[in-house]
Amino acid sequence: MQVLAGMLCLLGAFFFMAGSVGVIRFPDSLSRIHALTKADNLGLGFIVLALVITSQSVAVGLKLILIWVLALVASSSICFFLGRKLIRGG
Amino acid sequence: MENFYLGVACFLFLTMFVGLVRVFLGPQQEDRLVAVQLFGTTGVAILLLLAHAFDAPSVRNAALLFTLLAVLAVVAFVRTPESLDGEKE
Amino acid sequence: MNLILLFDVFLIAALLLVSWRLLGASDLFQATVLFISFGLFLSLAWIRLGAPDIALAEAAVGAGLAGVLLFGTFKGLEPGADRENDSFTSEPCRLDPISPCPGKIHLLLAFTCVGSLTTLLVLAVLDLPATGDGLTPMVSQFLERSGVEHPVTAVLLNFRFYDTWLELGVLVAAVLGILCVRNRFDLRELKVLQAPDVMLRRLVMGLAPTMALVVVYLLWLGDHAPGGAFQAGVVLAAMLVLLWFSGHASITGLSRMLWLFCLIAGFAVMLLVAVVSALWPEMRPLEFPEEWSAMIILGVEVVATLSIGVALSSLAILSLGAVDDPGGS
């Protein structure tokens, strides 16, 4: 279990790195928004998964999953709002 | 295992430094905000890792608050009137 | 052990870098955004310093409300259409474009003040005893008699009750101040400028119940763990502001009397406790009987949460709301 959690953590860290690189390297604002959410949510998702399978209690695991779901909702709607503003504002 | 989590947290912190460059560079207001959102999620991951490493449940609540309130600043930004628009380039 | 040191070094570097760029930022928007990320780093720093209560408060304020207030201020500082944007950014003293730039004498004065304050603070820190736990033993000795299990809550709502009381007074005063500045009497005619859109309404419909749940959770947590009235109040304020943004019912729907009542309720309840305990025979002011203290603290916390939430959301709504259409754009 520990080894699996470690691997999931590393996978999550990789996606965070991918997100950061994307935010730096992508050419325009809209694609930067894209880089952020996809990579970020996968990254947080894998790290949360790693912590859930090593957590001692069910309550902690559920709270971690709640945090991840909230992060999903938050960042996807944030990107929707920013993207729409970018397109409308030209 | 504790050290491993700390190591991952340190690595995530490094990616935050990379993201910070985008806040400095811009060029558009949206770019800076997106980078800050990236910090937000990375910060949440770091908080969760720290909470796990030190077995501190209250740290997890801080992470919960961050995710819960992440929308607020962006909504305030999008919903404020047009005089905010038109980044000077 | 070394890794934690590395983490701390990163954290300090990030704090210094962000604050340096924040002060030197060429435009106010960048400074605003940097301030939001500064809050995040600061919250991490509080965690590392072993103060999760402050970290929670910083997370709630820094991630949510500070951004809202700063964007509102930003809007107020940059009137937009009638001024061409370029001259605005090129000005070295950009906060107030009308007044002249500060001269050498102002800078000298500012540096002298800041320098002497810093020296005093450094001296104060050096003056602290190098070892010892301060007041911790005393707090834990009397913790049983305070009515709660978490030492921070015991200090804030029992041992130093007057401190929290005055803080609520400060919040009320802040709302009164901004009412004067904006020349308003209540919140009812303040509106968001854009029509509410479906996406935001749905989002808030999902988020608001979760936030309400977290408010209750934090309030309950304050009894035995980091959490409590202030953190819960901030989340409540964030919820009210989001509801207002999305066009749902919020505190702008309250009548003036009801709004004022919610605003001052926390301060008033604490005043009531103070007066009753002062008039009670064989008790000193602000001292409560042990068997009642748990009830009193819980009651005061609930009312204080309401007042903090209403006060903070009023601040945000007053700074962001508009009464009439701005002719500019």
Side-chain angles (χ1 to χ4, degrees), chain B residues 3 6 13 16 20 24 29 32 36 39 54 58 61-62 66 68-69 72-73 78-82 84 86 88, chain C residues 3-4 11 17 21 29-30 33 37 40 52 56 59-60 63 71 74 78 193-195 197 221 242 245 320 329:
Chain B
N3 267 327
L6 276 176
F13 220 107
M16 273 166 110
L20 211 54
F24 297 154
Q29 295 182 337
R32 303 188 203 274
V36 168
F39 287 175
F54 298 127
S58 54
N61 289 333
F66 266 114
L68 199 60
L69 303 183
L72 203 62
V78 200
R79 303 284 292 169
T80 40
E82 292 298 302
L84 277 184
K88 36 273 161 180
Chain C
L3 273 172
I4 200 69
L11 192 54
L17 181 70
R21 287 298 307 165
F29 186 82
Q30 188 181 351
V33 168
S37 46
L40 174 73
L56 272 175
F71 280 130
F74 180 66
E78 194 178 21
L193 274 179
Q194 289 157 345
D197 61 294
L221 217 54
L242 264 186
F245 267 130
L320 275 175
S329 48

Side-chain angles (χ1 to χ4, degrees), chain C residues 276-296:
Chain C
V276 169
S277 61
L279 292 180
W280 206 267
E282 84 258 357
M283 241 196 293
R284 277 164 293 174
L286 294 181
E287 182 187 324
F288 0 111
E290 266 176 62
E291 61 269 29
W292 287 82
S293 56
M295 281 309 289
I296 292 178

Side-chain angles (χ1 to χ4, degrees), chain A residues 2 5 10-11 13-15 19-21 31 35 39 46 62 69 75 77 83:
Chain A
Q2 296 282 329
L10 288 180
L11 204 56
F14 168 76
F15 276 107
S20 294
V21 170
S31 43
F46 279 119
L62 284 178
V69 170
S75 60
S77 38

Side-chain angles (χ1 to χ4, degrees), chain A residues 2 6 13 16-17 20 23-24 29 32-33 36 40 44 51 54 60 63-64 67 70 78 82 85-86, chain B residues 1 4-5 11-12 15 18 22 28 30-31 34 37-38 41-42 45 48 52 60-61 64 68 85:
Chain A
Q2 296 282 329
F16 270 112
M17 188 187 72
S20 294
V23 162
I24 291 298
S29 305
R32 278 178 215 137
I33 291 179
L36 166 78
D40 233 25
L44 189 62
L51 297 182
T54 48
V60 170
K63 194 193 253 177
L64 287 169
I67 289 176
L70 280 174
I78 282 166
L82 287 181
K85 194 174 168 72
L86 269 173
Chain B
M1 207 59 192
F4 173 75
Y5 287 130
F11 177 76
L12 291 184
T15 68
V18 177
R22 185 46 79 193
Q28 292 206 306
E30 284 83 356
D31 291 319
V34 160
Q37 288 310 314
L38 177 75
T41 328
T42 318
L48 291 180
H52 212 71
R60 226 167 268 134
N61 289 333
L64 179 68
L68 199 60
D85 273 350

Side-chain angles (χ1 to χ4, degrees), chain C residues 14-272:
Chain C
L15 279 170
L16 286 177
L17 181 70
V18 170
S19 46
W20 169 61
R21 287 298 307 165
L22 200 157
L23 294 173
S26 58
D27 68 314
L28 281 179
F29 186 82
Q30 188 181 351
T32 307
V33 168
L34 280 174
F35 198 80
I36 297 175
S37 46
F38 187 73
L40 174 73
F41 290 126
L42 206 55
S43 178
L44 281 170
W46 283 122
I47 297 267
R48 286 294 304 131
L49 288 172
D53 288 88
I54 310 179
L56 272 175
E58 181 61 45
V61 174
L65 280 179
V68 175
L69 284 174
L70 285 171
F71 280 130
T73 317
F74 180 66
K75 186 196 77 176
L77 283 174
E78 194 178 21
D82 48 349
R83 181 180 297 126
E84 60 268 40
N85 280 333
D86 295 337
S87 68
F88 202 53
T89 41
S90 57
E91 288 283 322
C93 41
R94 62 202 186 281
L95 269 180
D96 188 0
I98 301 148
S99 61
C101 291
K104 278 206 175 106
I105 183 81
H106 296 100
L107 288 177
L108 193 70
L109 218 66
F111 273 114
T112 319
C113 289
V114 172
S116 41
L117 187 63
T118 314
T119 319
L120 280 177
L121 283 175
V122 169
L123 285 179
V125 169
L126 288 180
D127 200 40
L128 288 175
T131 51
D133 334 301
L135 293 174
T136 316
M138 209 192 230
V139 170
S140 40
Q141 187 193 338
F142 291 104
L143 189 60
E144 278 179 25
R145 294 175 56 190
S146 70
V148 287
E149 289 161 40
H150 183 50
V152 175
T153 314
V155 169
L156 285 181
L157 283 154
N158 197 338
F159 304 150
R160 287 175 69 92
F161 188 82
Y162 58 93
D163 214 335
T164 313
W165 181 25
L166 293 180
E167 270 169 30
L168 285 178
V170 168
L171 273 180
V172 175
V175 175
L176 289 183
I178 202 169
L179 279 176
C180 295
V181 170
R182 301 260 354 226
N183 202 8
R184 296 270 127 244
F185 294 105
D186 61 26
L187 301 174
R188 264 173 300 173
E189 64 262 44
L190 290 168
K191 295 200 173 55
V192 196
L193 274 179
Q194 289 157 345
D197 61 294
V198 181
M199 179 70 194
L200 188 61
R201 285 186 76 93
R202 291 281 158 80
L203 172 70
V204 173
M205 242 146 84
L207 271 184
T210 323
M211 284 181 162
L213 197 64
V214 171
V215 170
V216 179
Y217 174 62
L218 283 174
L219 201 53
W220 167 76
L221 217 54
D223 171 57
H224 55 273
F230 186 74
Q231 288 88 341
V234 175
V235 178
L236 180 67
M239 186 183 96
L240 290 171
V241 171
L242 264 186
L243 285 172
W244 174 73
F245 267 130
S246 59
H248 289 283
S250 182
I251 53 166
T252 46
L254 296 178
S255 72
R256 180 155 188 269
M257 282 312 289
L258 204 54
W259 171 64
L260 281 178
F261 176 78
C262 294
L263 190 64
I264 61 169
F267 188 79
V269 164
M270 290 174 116
L271 183 67
L272 190 70

